[in-house]
Amino acid sequence: MSSTEHKRDEDMSRAYHAASHDDPPAALDDAIRAAARRAVHARPHTAKNPWLPRWGSPIAAAAVVMLAVSMLFVAVDERPEIAPPALQVSLPKSSPPAVQLPATESGPAEARDQAAVAPATSGRIEEKPPAATTTVMAKAVPTPSKTTAAQQSPSAISSSVGFEARRDAAAPMREPAIIVAPENLAKPAPAAAFPAAPLATPAAAPPQFVAGQMAERARDEAMQLNQESKRMMAKSAALASGTAATREMRQNVNKKDASDTTIVSTQSMAPSAYAPPAAAPAQQPNAWLKRIEELRVQGKLKEAREELVRFRKQYPKIELPKALAEMPAE
Amino acid sequence: MHEADTDESLMLRYQAGDAAAFDELYARHRSGLFRFITRQCRTREHAEELFQEVWMNLIQARERYRVEAQFRTWLYTLAHNKLMDYFRRHARSEVALFERDGEEPALNLVVGSRVDEPQVRAESREQGAAILRVLDELPAPQREAFLLHEEGGLGVEQIAAAAGISFEAAKSRLRYAFAKLREGLKDYA
């Protein structure tokens, strides 16, 4: 394009723009502007809250994480505390409250020596996770007076450090009351457990004495418990036999009469069928007959007859002893 | 409202809900777009109708607007599409001209043109009025290219984008349009 043509094009453009003045009518302008405003205002919040779509998701994610963490903390706090690995010796309340090892120079190390044998106890030890026993036993010992490092053996020092660390970590509320096994207190600590630790010193004698008494009490209680369990077993057996007799009696009555069944079963289910000691043997035919015979011999003829009538109802097919069969009627 | 605001930033603000930004955009482009449409429609009523439809299309499509091209290119693309629909409804012969992309007719403006008529020539004494008459006689694709250039302020590349044609085709249309206008107005120079 030559410069002349270019100039003529520019002139033509100017001429065109000079001649072209058409504009849209004002009403059309208003209608279009109004439509534009309506479109914007009809859209809710997207313009006024431009941060919302940008930050909504991160905020929601953060809220979820915080909620989860807080719930985790709550769950941890509310979780029942792990019971101290209790070697709970169930002693009477009047007994000495605790076996308190005196603070010796070996201090915690000795306590650990004592505790090391605790898991091997028997009797009423309720719970004994071996791993935790050492720590718990150490806590049962009063905090030793401070000793210099020179007074302690190297292992005692290390044990003492470990003891302090565990004691700091544990809450005071968790310290068990007594966790000592009587027999084991008398035993010397095995050398293999803490070879370098000093073994029982004369200061450990009083615990041995107390432990002997405790062991004696434990044996007594075990014997009492054994006797009590035997009584319970006997009761259970009697109850079982009574129940069997009741069942047999109920079957017999069912065969006889439905109306009697109600009565007899009611009787058999009554507490008297279980409770009185005399009622249970009476349910067995031979014992029952023997008891009736005793009544007859004792001259209690009326009671004997009543019992005999009941017996015949219960066991009509059993042949009566001659003495009872010939027992005169009233 | 800052004068330095570009069309694109105004459109983004309107997209974000700023109605005032639309008012500014509308003020900038209303006259050019209206003339662009009016010069190609047979009646003013149709032109106003198309003009409104173009702006309504823009309003409805604001969410999809991305700054990938100049705003005015996008605006005149919408107008071009509306005009093509209009031509299909009312002037299928002009649509055929648009479809013959690159096959520009010879400069036959003078032959049989109304511009040559003595009565018309008498009415178009002034160059401004004459150029409008000559423009009206241009083939629709060339007229559109000229109007995109003059009313829309688009360059050849943008004309090609708005009209959906190649760069060469846009360049050819624009060149032919100017040539015919020069030819038709040489008597008024």
Side-chain angles (χ1 to χ4, degrees):
Chain A
M1 182 180 292
S2 65
S3 61
T4 308
E5 287 180 341
H6 184 72
K7 185 177 179 304
R8 289 175 63 184
D9 288 348
E10 287 181 349
D11 292 341
M12 195 177 301
S13 294
R14 270 195 298 272
Y16 170 78
H17 285 290
S20 182
H21 294 292
D22 288 342
D23 280 329
L28 191 57
D29 289 344
D30 294 341
I32 292 170
R33 288 193 182 106
R37 286 193 196 91
R38 278 197 305 272
V40 169
H41 294 312
R43 187 176 55 183
H45 302 300
T46 52
K48 293 182 180 177
N49 297 317
W51 62 272
L52 190 59
R54 207 180 318 158
W55 294 103
S57 298
I59 288 174
V64 168
V65 169
M66 288 193 63
L67 186 63
V69 169
S70 62
M71 287 180 69
L72 184 65
F73 278 121
V74 168
V76 169
D77 289 343
E78 289 183 353
R79 189 177 57 187
E81 295 201 357
I82 298 172
L87 299 177
Q88 301 271 357
V89 178
S90 56
L91 297 175
K93 288 186 178 179
S94 58
S95 64
V99 177
Q100 294 189 350
L101 300 179
T104 59
E105 288 187 353
S106 58
E110 185 176 345
R112 288 172 50 137
D113 294 343
Q114 297 287 342
V117 298
T121 56
S122 60
R124 301 208 181 167
I125 298 171
E126 297 172 359
E127 196 177 335
K128 44 183 178 180
T133 302
T134 303
T135 304
V136 174
M137 290 298 293
K139 281 188 229 166
V141 177
T143 305
S145 58
K146 288 187 178 179
T147 55
T148 60
Q151 289 173 314
Q152 296 179 338
S153 65
S155 66
I157 293 172
S158 63
S159 301
S160 173
V161 171
F163 168 76
E164 289 293 336
R166 283 188 288 271
R167 188 171 62 85
D168 292 343
M173 296 289 291
R174 297 181 185 175
E175 292 201 4
I178 294 179
I179 314 167
V180 175
E183 290 102 344
N184 291 327
L185 284 173
K187 294 179 183 176
F194 297 98
L199 295 178
T201 59
Q208 289 177 357
F209 175 72
V210 174
Q213 288 182 336
M214 292 170 63
E216 199 171 332
R217 285 175 190 276
R219 277 194 295 274
D220 291 344
E221 287 186 1
M223 288 178 62
Q224 289 177 2
L225 185 64
N226 191 18
Q227 290 174 356
E228 190 174 347
S229 65
K230 282 180 179 176
R231 281 198 298 273
M232 293 294 291
M233 291 286 287
K235 283 183 182 178
S236 300
L239 192 61
S241 63
T243 306
T246 304
R247 201 181 303 122
E248 184 182 354
M249 202 164 59
R250 194 180 301 150
Q251 288 172 354
N252 291 332
V253 170
N254 285 339
K255 289 177 183 176
K256 280 179 62 181
D257 188 354
S259 60
D260 288 346
T261 303
T262 308
I263 299 169
V264 172
S265 61
T266 306
Q267 289 175 346
S268 64
M269 295 300 288
S272 61
Y274 300 96
Q283 307 305 323
Q284 296 182 352
N286 292 334
W288 199 351
L289 289 174
K290 189 177 178 182
R291 185 169 172 271
I292 294 171
E293 177 64 20
E294 287 175 357
L295 289 172
R296 189 188 67 80
V297 171
Q298 291 171 2
K300 298 177 180 177
L301 296 177
K302 187 179 179 182
E303 289 86 349
R305 285 191 202 99
E306 289 174 358
E307 286 292 319
L308 191 59
V309 168
R310 271 191 232 115
F311 182 84
R312 284 180 179 281
K313 281 187 177 179
Q314 296 292 328
Y315 305 107
K317 294 180 180 178
I318 293 180
E319 188 178 353
L320 297 176
K322 187 176 181 181
L324 292 179
E326 296 175 353
M327 189 171 61
E330 189 176 1
Chain B
M1 191 71 63
H2 303 290
E3 291 183 0
D5 284 342
T6 62
D7 292 345
E8 291 75 26
S9 64
L10 288 172
M11 184 61 202
L12 288 176
R13 283 167 52 191
Y14 175 61
Q15 190 181 48
D18 186 359
F22 177 85
D23 291 344
E24 176 67 15
L25 267 179
Y26 183 75
R28 288 183 186 182
H29 296 282
R30 59 185 279 277
S31 298
L33 183 68
F34 186 74
R35 287 193 290 268
F36 171 75
I37 294 173
T38 304
R39 301 278 177 260
Q40 302 183 77
C41 285
R42 292 173 184 267
T43 64
R44 189 174 177 89
E45 289 75 18
H46 285 156
E48 290 180 1
E49 183 182 343
L50 286 179
F51 177 78
Q52 187 171 6
E53 288 179 3
V54 170
W55 284 107
M56 294 307 293
N57 273 8
L58 184 144
I59 291 167
Q60 291 168 2
R62 68 190 182 281
E63 299 286 357
R64 300 192 298 272
Y65 175 74
R66 299 289 180 270
V67 187
E68 295 170 351
Q70 287 190 3
F71 169 79
R72 62 179 61 228
T73 305
W74 181 51
L75 175 64
Y76 281 90
T77 301
L78 295 176
H80 168 79
N81 294 335
K82 279 290 172 190
L83 277 168
M84 294 305 292
D85 293 340
Y86 168 79
F87 290 148
R88 289 189 185 97
R89 287 197 304 268
H90 299 97
R92 298 198 64 83
S93 59
E94 298 197 5
V95 175
L97 291 177
F98 277 100
E99 290 170 353
R100 288 164 47 194
D101 187 17
E103 299 177 13
E104 298 300 337
L107 293 176
N108 55 357
L109 178 64
V110 180
V111 178
S113 173
R114 288 195 304 143
V115 178
D116 284 341
E117 297 175 4
Q119 184 181 355
V120 173
R121 184 175 292 186
E123 291 173 354
S124 306
R125 288 297 176 183
E126 296 181 5
Q127 189 180 33
I131 198 170
L132 296 180
R133 296 289 181 184
V134 175
L135 182 64
D136 187 56
E137 296 299 322
L138 286 178
Q142 296 170 17
R143 185 170 60 241
E144 184 191 44
F146 176 82
L147 290 171
L148 285 172
H149 183 266
E150 297 299 328
E151 298 292 355
L154 305 185
V156 175
E157 191 172 357
Q158 295 163 323
I159 291 170
I165 57 177
S166 65
F167 178 85
E168 292 300 326
K171 186 177 179 182
S172 173
R173 287 181 185 182
L174 189 59
R175 184 165 58 86
Y176 274 102
F178 272 102
K180 290 176 182 177
L181 285 172
R182 280 197 303 270
E183 183 67 24
L185 296 175
K186 63 182 179 184
D187 295 336
Y188 301 99

